[in-house]
Amino acid sequence: MVTAYVMVKANTGEADRLKNAILDLDGVVDAHIVAGDVDIVTKLDVDSPGDVKAIAADGIQGIQGVEDTHTYIAME
Amino acid sequence: MILVEANAEKADRARTDDFEVVEGDGSREPVLEQADLATADAVGALTGDLNVNFAACMVGKHYGARTVLRIDEDYREDIYRKFASDVDEVVYPERLGAIGAKNALLGGNVRAIADIAQNLQVVELTITDESPMKGYSISELSLPADSRVLAFGKEGSPMGIPLPDDSLAVGDRLAVLADFDVLEDVRQILVGDTSRATADAMQGGT
C-alpha cells in the first residue's frame, strides 16, 4: 500500500470543478481546496508507486485547469 | 495605522517615515495583538505570502475586524471570495498596475479606469473630430444595450453627472461602463474610427 499527497496548482477559479474531477479518479481518497501557494491538496491510497505516477501524471494533470502538480510519497 | 513587518530593514525604513511599526510575523496572533488588534477596525493582509495573509485574516476576523486579503494570482480571486469566509475583501494590486501600464502605452483618447467584473470595464473616452456623435447631446446618444454613461465632463472641467442636454464637443470626456463585447461599438460611436489600434489593444484586457 502506498500513500501519497499531490499538491495541485490551478490556473482557473473553478476550484469546485477541479476538486470534483480529482475526487472522481480511482485511488484518490481525499481532496481539499486550501489557502496558500497551491490550490488543492489531494491524498492517494494505491497499491504501487506506479499507480501514484499514473494518477498524478495522467489523471490529475489531464484535467483542464490544472497547471502543475507536486507529488510527495509518504515514507511511513 | 500600524504596520506589521517581518523584515528588520523595511521596518526601520517605515519608522524613519514616521509609521508606527510592530516587527514580527503577521501570521502570528501575539504579533498582531501588539498592534492593538482588539481595537482595530480593519486588518490588511498584504504580504507576498498567501498563507501569511490568510492566517492574518482569520486572526483579524476572530477579533471582529474587517479583513482584506492580497492574492498573488488573479485566478485565485474567485476561489478566495467563495471559500474564505473570514475574508471581507480580496485585492489583486497588480491589476491596478496593469491598468496604469496599459493606459500609459495606449495614450490617446481611450483610457481604462477600472475592471468591475471579468467582462465589465469602465473606460473614459474623449470626443474627437472624427466622432460620429460630435455636436449631438447626451439625450441623442444611443449606445449598445450592455453599456451605460456614468459621468460626463466638458474639456478642462471635472467629470460630473451626465445631463440629457449636455452637448458633446471635441475634447469632452465620457466615463462609460460597458461589457467587453460592446466596448468596440461604444468606442466607434464616441471616438470614431481613427484609433483602431488603440481599440485592439484595449480589447486585450489587463
mmCIF file of all heavy atoms in Angstrom, chain A residues 37-57:
data_model
loop_
_atom_site.group_PDB
_atom_site.id
_atom_site.type_symbol
_atom_site.label_atom_id
_atom_site.label_comp_id
_atom_site.label_asym_id
_atom_site.label_seq_id
_atom_site.Cartn_x
_atom_site.Cartn_y
_atom_site.Cartn_z
ATOM 1 N N ASP A 37 0.043 28.638 -1.461
ATOM 2 C CA ASP A 37 0.701 28.583 -2.768
ATOM 3 C C ASP A 37 0.064 27.587 -3.719
ATOM 4 O O ASP A 37 0.133 27.749 -4.924
ATOM 5 C CB ASP A 37 2.177 28.188 -2.600
ATOM 6 C CG ASP A 37 2.941 29.227 -1.815
ATOM 7 O OD1 ASP A 37 2.462 30.369 -1.780
ATOM 8 O OD2 ASP A 37 3.998 28.893 -1.259
ATOM 9 N N VAL A 38 -0.497 26.513 -3.171
ATOM 10 C CA VAL A 38 -1.198 25.556 -4.019
ATOM 11 C C VAL A 38 -2.690 25.691 -3.743
ATOM 12 O O VAL A 38 -3.096 26.299 -2.758
ATOM 13 C CB VAL A 38 -0.742 24.098 -3.772
ATOM 14 C CG1 VAL A 38 0.730 23.949 -4.095
ATOM 15 C CG2 VAL A 38 -1.048 23.652 -2.369
ATOM 16 N N ASP A 39 -3.501 25.132 -4.652
ATOM 17 C CA ASP A 39 -4.941 25.365 -4.549
ATOM 18 C C ASP A 39 -5.705 24.158 -4.018
ATOM 19 O O ASP A 39 -6.727 24.300 -3.375
ATOM 20 C CB ASP A 39 -5.478 25.764 -5.921
ATOM 21 C CG ASP A 39 -4.800 27.040 -6.404
ATOM 22 O OD1 ASP A 39 -5.042 28.081 -5.790
ATOM 23 O OD2 ASP A 39 -4.009 26.983 -7.356
ATOM 24 N N ILE A 40 -5.184 22.948 -4.302
ATOM 25 C CA ILE A 40 -5.856 21.740 -3.831
ATOM 26 C C ILE A 40 -4.804 20.748 -3.327
ATOM 27 O O ILE A 40 -3.764 20.565 -3.968
ATOM 28 C CB ILE A 40 -6.690 21.083 -4.959
ATOM 29 C CG1 ILE A 40 -7.828 22.018 -5.390
ATOM 30 C CG2 ILE A 40 -7.252 19.732 -4.526
ATOM 31 C CD1 ILE A 40 -8.607 21.546 -6.595
ATOM 32 N N VAL A 41 -5.055 20.141 -2.176
ATOM 33 C CA VAL A 41 -4.206 19.054 -1.683
ATOM 34 C C VAL A 41 -5.001 17.759 -1.793
ATOM 35 O O VAL A 41 -6.144 17.681 -1.333
ATOM 36 C CB VAL A 41 -3.769 19.289 -0.218
ATOM 37 C CG1 VAL A 41 -2.994 18.076 0.295
ATOM 38 C CG2 VAL A 41 -2.908 20.536 -0.110
ATOM 39 N N THR A 42 -4.396 16.760 -2.434
ATOM 40 C CA THR A 42 -5.075 15.504 -2.724
ATOM 41 C C THR A 42 -4.346 14.357 -2.033
ATOM 42 O O THR A 42 -3.115 14.322 -2.017
ATOM 43 C CB THR A 42 -5.051 15.247 -4.251
ATOM 44 O OG1 THR A 42 -5.625 16.361 -4.913
ATOM 45 C CG2 THR A 42 -5.818 13.995 -4.606
ATOM 46 N N LYS A 43 -5.098 13.427 -1.462
ATOM 47 C CA LYS A 43 -4.480 12.249 -0.841
ATOM 48 C C LYS A 43 -4.808 11.008 -1.667
ATOM 49 O O LYS A 43 -5.970 10.798 -2.045
ATOM 50 C CB LYS A 43 -5.001 12.081 0.581
ATOM 51 C CG LYS A 43 -4.299 10.953 1.335
ATOM 52 C CD LYS A 43 -4.877 10.751 2.730
ATOM 53 C CE LYS A 43 -4.158 9.623 3.456
ATOM 54 N NZ LYS A 43 -4.829 9.283 4.721
ATOM 55 N N LEU A 44 -3.782 10.218 -1.952
ATOM 56 C CA LEU A 44 -3.958 8.981 -2.713
ATOM 57 C C LEU A 44 -3.668 7.777 -1.825
ATOM 58 O O LEU A 44 -2.761 7.822 -1.006
ATOM 59 C CB LEU A 44 -2.995 8.912 -3.916
ATOM 60 C CG LEU A 44 -2.794 10.131 -4.807
ATOM 61 C CD1 LEU A 44 -1.833 9.784 -5.944
ATOM 62 C CD2 LEU A 44 -4.117 10.588 -5.382
ATOM 63 N N ASP A 45 -4.432 6.719 -2.011
ATOM 64 C CA ASP A 45 -4.125 5.416 -1.408
ATOM 65 C C ASP A 45 -4.153 4.389 -2.524
ATOM 66 O O ASP A 45 -5.231 4.078 -3.042
ATOM 67 C CB ASP A 45 -5.161 5.059 -0.328
ATOM 68 C CG ASP A 45 -4.612 5.314 1.062
ATOM 69 O OD1 ASP A 45 -3.382 5.210 1.215
ATOM 70 O OD2 ASP A 45 -5.409 5.626 1.957
ATOM 71 N N VAL A 46 -2.987 3.881 -2.920
ATOM 72 C CA VAL A 46 -2.916 2.970 -4.066
ATOM 73 C C VAL A 46 -2.004 1.788 -3.748
ATOM 74 O O VAL A 46 -1.353 1.754 -2.707
ATOM 75 C CB VAL A 46 -2.407 3.703 -5.331
ATOM 76 C CG1 VAL A 46 -3.448 4.664 -5.856
ATOM 77 C CG2 VAL A 46 -1.108 4.444 -5.033
ATOM 78 N N ASP A 47 -1.927 0.844 -4.687
ATOM 79 C CA ASP A 47 -1.157 -0.373 -4.445
ATOM 80 C C ASP A 47 0.336 -0.197 -4.671
ATOM 81 O O ASP A 47 1.149 -0.799 -3.984
ATOM 82 C CB ASP A 47 -1.667 -1.510 -5.354
ATOM 83 C CG ASP A 47 -3.056 -1.963 -4.936
ATOM 84 O OD1 ASP A 47 -3.360 -1.812 -3.730
ATOM 85 O OD2 ASP A 47 -3.813 -2.433 -5.797
ATOM 86 N N SER A 48 0.715 0.583 -5.675
ATOM 87 C CA SER A 48 2.139 0.659 -6.032
ATOM 88 C C SER A 48 2.527 2.084 -6.395
ATOM 89 O O SER A 48 1.670 2.898 -6.745
ATOM 90 C CB SER A 48 2.415 -0.250 -7.235
ATOM 91 O OG SER A 48 1.881 0.359 -8.396
ATOM 92 N N PRO A 49 3.861 2.384 -6.336
ATOM 93 C CA PRO A 49 4.327 3.710 -6.763
ATOM 94 C C PRO A 49 3.942 4.022 -8.204
ATOM 95 O O PRO A 49 3.729 5.181 -8.555
ATOM 96 C CB PRO A 49 5.856 3.616 -6.611
ATOM 97 C CG PRO A 49 6.061 2.562 -5.575
ATOM 98 C CD PRO A 49 4.950 1.559 -5.790
ATOM 99 N N GLY A 50 3.847 2.989 -9.029
ATOM 100 C CA GLY A 50 3.440 3.195 -10.426
ATOM 101 C C GLY A 50 2.044 3.796 -10.521
ATOM 102 O O GLY A 50 1.763 4.631 -11.391
ATOM 103 N N ASP A 51 1.168 3.360 -9.607
ATOM 104 C CA ASP A 51 -0.195 3.904 -9.606
ATOM 105 C C ASP A 51 -0.186 5.386 -9.255
ATOM 106 O O ASP A 51 -1.007 6.165 -9.748
ATOM 107 C CB ASP A 51 -1.074 3.148 -8.595
ATOM 108 C CG ASP A 51 -1.244 1.683 -8.985
ATOM 109 O OD1 ASP A 51 -1.103 1.398 -10.186
ATOM 110 O OD2 ASP A 51 -1.496 0.864 -8.088
ATOM 111 N N VAL A 52 0.758 5.765 -8.357
ATOM 112 C CA VAL A 52 0.864 7.184 -7.982
ATOM 113 C C VAL A 52 1.175 8.013 -9.218
ATOM 114 O O VAL A 52 0.551 9.039 -9.480
ATOM 115 C CB VAL A 52 1.972 7.400 -6.921
ATOM 116 C CG1 VAL A 52 2.158 8.893 -6.654
ATOM 117 C CG2 VAL A 52 1.633 6.660 -5.633
ATOM 118 N N LYS A 53 2.133 7.534 -9.995
ATOM 119 C CA LYS A 53 2.522 8.248 -11.209
ATOM 120 C C LYS A 53 1.337 8.336 -12.173
ATOM 121 O O LYS A 53 1.076 9.394 -12.758
ATOM 122 C CB LYS A 53 3.690 7.533 -11.888
ATOM 123 C CG LYS A 53 4.110 8.188 -13.180
ATOM 124 C CD LYS A 53 5.106 7.329 -13.944
ATOM 125 C CE LYS A 53 5.199 7.748 -15.400
ATOM 126 N NZ LYS A 53 4.023 7.408 -16.203
ATOM 127 N N ALA A 54 0.628 7.218 -12.298
ATOM 128 C CA ALA A 54 -0.498 7.206 -13.245
ATOM 129 C C ALA A 54 -1.555 8.239 -12.849
ATOM 130 O O ALA A 54 -2.072 8.973 -13.691
ATOM 131 C CB ALA A 54 -1.116 5.812 -13.316
ATOM 132 N N ILE A 55 -1.855 8.318 -11.555
ATOM 133 C CA ILE A 55 -2.905 9.253 -11.121
ATOM 134 C C ILE A 55 -2.422 10.697 -11.217
ATOM 135 O O ILE A 55 -3.129 11.574 -11.726
ATOM 136 C CB ILE A 55 -3.343 8.928 -9.672
ATOM 137 C CG1 ILE A 55 -4.013 7.550 -9.634
ATOM 138 C CG2 ILE A 55 -4.302 10.002 -9.158
ATOM 139 C CD1 ILE A 55 -4.311 7.067 -8.242
ATOM 140 N N ALA A 56 -1.185 10.939 -10.749
ATOM 141 C CA ALA A 56 -0.689 12.315 -10.738
ATOM 142 C C ALA A 56 -0.420 12.822 -12.151
ATOM 143 O O ALA A 56 -0.867 13.911 -12.532
ATOM 144 C CB ALA A 56 0.584 12.411 -9.894
ATOM 145 N N ALA A 57 0.314 12.008 -12.932
ATOM 146 C CA ALA A 57 0.744 12.476 -14.248
ATOM 147 C C ALA A 57 -0.387 12.426 -15.264
ATOM 148 O O ALA A 57 -0.633 13.390 -15.986
ATOM 149 C CB ALA A 57 1.930 11.653 -14.737
#
